[in-house]
Amino acid sequence: MHSYHIFYFPFKWEIPNKKDKLFSEQVDLDDIKIVPESEWERVQIPDKIDTSIVDDRVRKDYEAIFGEKNYYFEFVHPALYDEQSRPNSILHHYERKETKEIAHLPQYIIKTKGKSYVLQIDAMNLNLYATGVGVISFFLKNEYDNQKDPDDIRIINQFGRRIMPPHYGEITCGPDKRGLISEEISIIGLRGIDEYYKEDFNAERYGLSDVWKPAKFICQLVKDLSVDLKVIPVIDDRMFVNCWYGNDKLSEQFKASEKENDLIKQSVLDLEDKERLEKFVEGDFWYKYLFVDEGSDETCQNNKMKTELLEKCTYYRWQKYGTLYGVSRYSVMLLTDMGWFSKNIVSVHMRTIYSRMVELMLVQRASMLRFSDEVTKVSCLSDANKMTIPHKISSLYKEYIRFVNQIFFREVTAQDQGIELYHIMMSQFDSEKQITDLDDEISELHDYASLLADQKRNDNGQLLNVLAAIFLPATILTGLFGMNPFSGDFCLGDFIFQIGAIVSISLIVLLIIRRKIYEKK
């Protein structure tokens, strides 16, 4: 294996006939109707795992999960794992059945620049969260010698992640002239009609109104789970990239020189190593690899800004061993040598432990955008909906509190490298500022709901006061004279006089009250 690529597509999901319901009803995972005999199967972690499991692949999965759960704090587990012991789970985890049939793994094929890049699909997951967002993730192995060069890796990352045309010219210029999207992306080996899992970005499929319309295979994969779900991209027009790349020649360019006993020689080597590292990091490959650039020109044409970006995004902890991590707003990248430890330990951690961390960050970001979108919708409700606004805000506020407590975390592990990488990711996504801004939005909306509730109570109290004032004359008269006629015997004249006196006085009181209310306005 020359490289390993994970593409994540975060999205917002909706059930169309529930979009006017309370937010807690809109995002209820148990209300999603799963297609009978779907090729997706929900996979939950059992309460107790039988160590005598015969299936070697399943046993290895549980062994990896064992290490992951020990890596992360226990309070983080509900956001990472779909566990049987949690009836009100915030996560439903689905896996594609075909990827578990070892005899014939599906393939992810990218056609671009006159070449087809074929990647083996190691796994394909679909996670749905109780914040109304989801993530489709593709775990792809690159095992072919004709696509192992640095340029090939960058092309796979750039064109494999592009699932929406960035502008209309990319559709109409013709497949062979495209610069940002591939000629075609297809998934073969799935049970179903092949055409449904292929996207060629044909102009016949995309109209001028079809903005933020994801690739056909993305929509079909979600339909394979539930036909009721509507998929709406929420972060970017590209998938997020997590990539491990093993290359001895590149690794040697920044790897530490062999140690010397002579202190003078060692100091010289340290200086040379520092210069080599700076030259590599600021060179041609690392920037393009980290920021997923494919072309000959870098997307930053200012040396000072480029240096600042690289310094902010590069993680140097294992540099002397020939390993560099990089984190940007749309990628988490790892470059190592092709040694046994790099291929069998470091790369495995990248697609297990740190893959969980990447998805958690994406879910946090997507959820914050989903809540912000819902705040906007509720804020735009007309006065005619004032009776339902407090209920909608209350439901939204409840789900937001759940999100803050169960998905958004400022710390997820006690391990040094995990802490450092997580903080870099949070910095790239600007999560602290985003959650603070969202806190303010939600708090203002909650204050507005409290204001509406207070106003409703005041209106009801005022109505009761008016009614009490209107019936006050009748109460006084009946208190003074009792319920009997003036003469002691029933007399129609006395009765009409009493009723007339009560009505007259009540009308006078009503007019006075209305005048006072009008003057206040």
Side-chain angles (χ1 to χ4, degrees), residues 62-80:
Y62 284 142
E63 288 174 358
I65 290 173
F66 178 86
E68 290 177 22
K69 295 183 104 176
N70 280 336
Y71 190 87
Y72 290 105
F73 292 133
E74 189 173 0
F75 61 78
V76 182
H77 293 175
L80 301 178

Side-chain angles (χ1 to χ4, degrees), residues 350-382:
M350 193 67 169
R351 61 180 181 262
T352 54
I353 292 173
Y354 298 116
S355 174
R356 301 278 187 186
M357 188 179 292
V358 169
E359 180 162 342
L360 179 61
M361 291 300 304
L362 291 173
V363 169
Q364 289 175 2
R365 176 66 174 145
S367 298
M368 284 189 280
L369 291 172
R370 177 70 196 265
F371 280 113
S372 185
D373 180 49
E374 199 66 24
V375 167
T376 303
K377 287 182 180 177
V378 174
S379 302
C380 292
L381 290 175
S382 64

